[in-house]
Amino acid sequence: MKTTFKRLALAALVSAACIGAANAEEIKVGAELPLTGSLARVGAGMQEGIMVAQEVFNKTNGKHTIKVITIDDESAPAKAIAAVEKLASDGVVAITGGYGSNNISPASDAANKLGLVYITSGGVDDSLVAAGRKNFFRINNSAGYEKALVGLLQDVNAKSVSIVYSTKDATSGLAKDVEKALAAKGVKVAMHSFDPAITDFKPIINKVKLQDKSEVIAMVGYENDYVGILRAARVLKPSVKAMVGVWSLATPKMAADFPDLMPHVFGTALLPFPAEFKTADGKAFADAYKTLYKKEPDYLGQFGYVQSMLLFEAIARAADKGTLKKGGVADELRKTDKETLIGRVQFGANGDNPNFVHRMGQHQDKKIVIVWPKESATGKIAYPATPW
């Protein structure tokens, strides 16, 4: 009998050791991001958040360990596809990252064909969630940006707006949605599209100054576009009351790199700068971010963190159920219903988060103040106010 008990105990110990070894095995997750090229700045911001999520998850999960493998897609669609395929060959179980709908669309197609979950906060073109990809998830969307932009313009009682927008899919789609929403509220809207390759915005700003004579210029583009538009406006000085933009504009990096262009400019921003967090999750994010990068976190990092933490938690649940390589990650993400640093996140049947609403920030005295909505405001709106 004693021998039998010893054998059973030994078997239990071996089994426990095997389970422990299996649990200790790193689970690989791919990050496909633009770390060079035209989207390098925003890609780097998201990458910081992803790495903070890896740090926080590995310290707090206690059972599973995530290893993020990053490949630079060079801001190019073909390179984004190649990055996803290389990550799949490296054994990742899912992809987090992606920036720019034009890059995300083909990259997530590649992930879908390979049976990999693809989660992002970097693409707001609605065609991304209308394409029927079973494994595609995103935590933000164009509707949330539209609500913030239109809400701010309503609060300042803007009567006329000139929208200057890039012809890329995501930017042109958002610009047209904003135009429609403003027109429905009786606001006079003038539309000015531009090719993403142009750098001289003076002809467009001159039209706004001489023909439109709008109260506000709304910019729907990317970082290089904002810089070009603001430089042209600084030269021509149209009689507007405000310069307003969307993503990648109200960030500490833009304030630091372009101090002459940013004062009083509005942009979407979840966080004030310096950042303030009141929840345990927020403090864990901020502490890890400051430790890793020796600076205050911004909203790009916040997005990267949230999308990745939701993914890592879904991976852990799938691993516990033994469904990690049987579609379990997507199944677990579809069950998500959680309050996060960007608000409540759920995923609809198309992979989109129906709860997303952005905030508007304003560059004020080298800080970023949240000015919309009122219940989230950390300061007062400066209006009328322009950088010149």
Side-chain angles (χ1 to χ4, degrees):
M1 183 63 77
K2 286 184 179 178
T3 303
T4 302
F5 280 137
K6 283 182 179 177
R7 285 175 180 170
L8 288 172
L10 180 60
L13 285 172
V14 171
S15 176
C18 290
I19 291 170
N23 287 341
E25 183 181 355
E26 288 182 327
I27 301 173
K28 296 177 183 176
V29 174
E32 165 255 316
L33 289 160
L35 300 178
T36 57
S38 62
L39 299 174
R41 185 188 298 269
V42 288
M46 183 186 287
Q47 167 74 346
E48 290 173 354
I50 292 170
M51 300 315 293
V52 171
Q54 175 188 263
E55 177 78 7
V56 173
F57 179 87
N58 287 344
K59 281 187 176 179
T60 57
N61 181 263
K63 187 175 181 182
H64 304 289
T65 301
I66 295 291
K67 180 181 180 181
V68 174
I69 302 173
T70 303
I71 294 183
D72 176 13
D73 67 23
E74 302 177 33
S75 306
K79 297 290 180 65
I81 296 171
V84 168
E85 292 173 343
K86 176 64 169 63
L87 289 166
S89 69
D90 288 341
V92 304
V93 300
I95 305 286
T96 179
Y99 210 98
S101 298
N102 292 348
N103 297 325
I104 290 171
S105 181
S108 57
D109 265 344
N112 197 55
K113 290 175 183 174
L114 293 163
L116 294 175
V117 160
Y118 188 106
I119 189 168
T120 188
S121 57
V124 298
D125 186 346
D126 284 340
S127 67
L128 291 172
V129 291
R133 301 180 186 93
K134 295 180 180 178
N135 295 329
F136 181 81
F137 299 86
R138 70 176 179 186
I139 60 173
N140 58 342
N141 49 48
S142 184
Y145 287 88
E146 177 193 329
K147 291 172 187 171
L149 195 55
V150 173
L152 173 74
L153 292 172
Q154 274 193 286
D155 275 10
V156 298
N157 198 28
K159 302 295 185 187
S160 55
V161 177
S162 291
I163 300 177
V164 181
Y165 66 99
S166 168
T167 54
K168 286 189 174 181
D169 291 343
T171 42
S172 60
L174 175 57
K176 290 169 185 173
D177 288 343
V178 171
E179 176 194 23
K180 186 177 179 181
L182 290 174
K185 297 179 185 303
V187 178
K188 180 184 175 184
V189 182
M191 300 289 281
H192 299 279
S193 64
F194 62 84
D195 186 279
I198 77 164
T199 56
D200 183 3
F201 289 88
K202 287 194 287 294
I204 291 177
I205 298 301
N206 211 31
K207 285 183 181 178
V208 174
K209 178 179 181 179
L210 300 178
Q211 298 175 14
D212 300 353
K213 299 179 180 178
S214 296
E215 292 182 3
V216 174
I217 292 178
M219 303 171 284
V220 187
Y222 299 94
E223 289 182 338
N224 292 342
D225 305 325
Y226 302 138
V227 172
I229 294 167
L230 288 165
R231 280 179 174 157
R234 188 178 178 85
V235 171
L236 296 173
K237 295 182 173 56
S239 298
V240 297
K241 295 180 178 178
M243 301 293 292
V244 181
V246 281
W247 47 78
S248 315
L249 179 56
T251 67
K253 186 71 174 170
M254 291 293 271
D257 289 356
F258 304 101
D260 58 327
L261 297 178
M262 293 303 136
H264 301 138
V265 170
F266 296 89
T268 50
L270 288 170
L271 284 173
F273 173 74
E276 298 175 12
F277 293 97
K278 297 179 180 177
T279 66
D281 187 30
K283 290 175 182 175
F285 163 69
D287 290 346
Y289 193 102
K290 291 173 185 175
T291 299
L292 286 176
Y293 297 107
K294 315 300 181 191
K295 61 181 181 179
E296 292 287 331
D298 66 24
Y299 85 95
L300 290 167
Q302 192 175 2
F303 272 128
Y305 174 82
V306 171
Q307 73 191 49
S308 300
M309 282 298 283
L310 292 174
L311 174 63
F312 298 164
E313 289 164 359
I315 288 171
R317 295 195 299 272
D320 287 343
K321 295 177 180 177
T323 61
L324 196 56
K325 297 183 179 179
K326 301 175 184 175
V329 180
D331 291 342
E332 294 301 326
L333 276 172
R334 291 190 189 98
K335 297 174 186 173
T336 297
D337 185 355
K338 184 175 181 178
E339 284 295 332
T340 73
L341 300 187
I342 68 159
R344 186 181 181 186
V345 176
Q346 295 173 292
F347 295 111
N350 60 359
D352 209 2
N353 173 21
N355 305 307
F356 178 68
V357 179
H358 221 309
R359 298 172 182 170
M360 295 298 297
Q362 185 178 30
H363 289 268
Q364 296 180 6
D365 298 327
K366 297 181 182 179
K367 297 179 181 178
I368 295 171
V369 177
I370 300 298
V371 295
W372 188 95
K374 289 178 181 176
E375 58 269 24
S376 302
T378 61
K380 295 181 179 179
I381 294 176
Y383 185 89
T386 57
W388 55 88

